[in-house]
């Protein structure tokens, strides 16, 4: 099984900050990496697929990069609505999610 | 508008069975892979299973393999998961999701809660 490890597990930041979340795969997954945002009590929402392609309707302050085993999700300027939990997901071999990164207001 | 509505959750004893349903609308159902993803209370997302548009291809997480069976009825625009030999650790909110590019999940339902307890 492919394991996905996100870091950090939690993060405190302020509105306007630039934030980066990292996701590492236990083996190469090419670009088969997706990112989701989940707010409390809500279903997850797809942000980015194929490591760097922005899902339709997602603000351009979100971006993704990486390939192979190391990936990043960057939010260029945090907005109040961005405080949530973020998950990466590999779909190279079936599917595995990372453990999540909780982004909190500082 | 794409909509996914799950149903069938509830309280069941360990060793019991349950069948979840996910009714889809707003898209050509039979042309999309469909997935089940679960989330235990206060925990992260766990992918459970997927099925191809024509139902011929399925896959399961190791934790449910041999106990869960995914299926679909394209005439009813519905995907199912039959869950047998349920364990306490299967307790979770079960989401169905539409398969998007790179096997992502581009639309999600609101989930149905399964509680396994004696």
């Amino acid at each position: 099984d492919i394991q996905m490890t996100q870091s950090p597990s939690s993060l405190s930041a302020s509105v306007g900050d630039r934030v980066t979340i990292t996701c590492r795969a236990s083996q190469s997954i090419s670009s088969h990496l997706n990112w989701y945002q989940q707010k409390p009590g809500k279903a997850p929402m797809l942000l980015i697929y194929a490591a760097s392609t922005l899902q339709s309707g997602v603000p351009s302050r979100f971006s993704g990069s990486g390939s192979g085993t190391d990936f990043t999700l960057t939010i260029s300027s945090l907005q109040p609505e961005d405080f949530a939990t973020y998950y990466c997901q590999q779909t190279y071999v079936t599917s595995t999610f990372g453990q999540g990164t909780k982004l909190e207001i500082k | 508008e794409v909509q996914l509505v799950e149903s069938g959750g509830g309280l069941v004893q360990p060793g019991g069975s349950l069948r979840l349903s996910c009714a889809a609308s707003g898209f050509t159902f039979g042309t999309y892979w469909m997935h089940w993803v679960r989330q235990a209370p206060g925990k992260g997302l766990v992918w459970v299973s997927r099925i191809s548009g024509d139902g011929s291809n399925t896959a399961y997480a190791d934790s449910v393999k041999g106990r869960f069976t995914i299926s679909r009825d394209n005439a009813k625009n519905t995907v199912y998961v039959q869950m047998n030999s349920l364990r306490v650790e299967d307790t979770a909110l079960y989401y169905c999701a539409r398969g998007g590019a790179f096997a992502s999940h581009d639309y999600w339902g609101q989930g149905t809660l399964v509680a396994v307890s004696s």
Side-chain angles (χ1 to χ4, degrees):
Chain A
D1 288 4
I2 299 176
Q3 308 303 317
M4 305 301 294
T5 303
Q6 289 181 231
S7 60
S9 295
S10 63
L11 174 61
S12 294
S14 301
V15 172
D17 283 354
R18 180 183 179 89
V19 165
T20 297
I21 297 169
T22 296
C23 182
R24 175 164 289 176
S26 59
Q27 66 184 74
S28 177
I29 57 170
S30 184
S31 295
H32 293 254
L33 192 284
N34 309 313
W35 289 98
Y36 299 85
Q37 176 194 69
Q38 187 179 33
K39 296 181 180 179
K42 300 293 186 182
M45 182 180 78
L46 177 64
L47 297 174
I48 288 168
Y49 63 90
S52 61
T53 303
L54 203 63
Q55 172 71 354
S56 175
V58 173
S60 59
R61 62 181 180 273
F62 291 92
S63 64
S65 65
S67 67
T69 60
D70 294 316
F71 302 86
T72 59
L73 172 70
T74 299
I75 309 171
S76 60
S77 178
L78 273 174
Q79 299 301 301
E81 60 268 30
D82 299 336
F83 293 94
T85 300
Y86 293 85
Y87 294 92
C88 63
Q89 176 202 31
Q90 71 81 18
T91 55
Y92 188 69
V93 177
T94 57
S95 176
T96 317
F97 287 92
Q99 82 278 15
T101 295
K102 188 173 183 179
L103 178 54
E104 298 174 306
I105 301 174
K106 185 182 284 184
Chain B
E1 177 194 6
V2 172
Q3 286 197 325
L4 300 170
V5 180
E6 302 94 336
S7 61
L11 176 63
V12 61
Q13 292 188 335
S17 298
L18 214 53
R19 188 179 83 155
L20 307 183
S21 302
C22 171
S25 61
F27 63 101
T28 307
F29 181 70
T31 64
Y32 285 86
W33 287 74
M34 296 296 295
H35 301 254
W36 287 96
V37 176
R38 70 185 183 185
Q39 187 169 35
K43 302 297 185 181
L45 302 171
V46 176
W47 176 82
V48 172
S49 184
R50 71 181 182 209
I51 187 167
S52 59
D54 64 1
S56 63
N57 193 320
T58 60
Y60 299 90
D62 286 346
S63 59
V64 307
K65 201 172 294 182
R67 300 188 298 122
F68 288 15
T69 302
I70 192 170
S71 62
R72 65 192 297 159
D73 184 338
N74 287 349
K76 295 183 177 179
N77 285 359
T78 301
V79 61
Y80 307 95
V81 61
Q82 176 68 42
M83 304 186 298
N84 298 330
S85 303
L86 282 162
R87 305 167 180 168
V88 170
E89 55 265 34
D90 294 319
T91 294
L93 186 63
Y94 283 73
Y95 293 103
C96 75
R98 191 179 81 166
F102 272 67
S104 63
H105 310 320
D106 57 0
Y107 288 92
W108 297 65
Q110 287 306 300
T112 187
L113 185 61
V114 172
V116 185
S117 174
S118 54

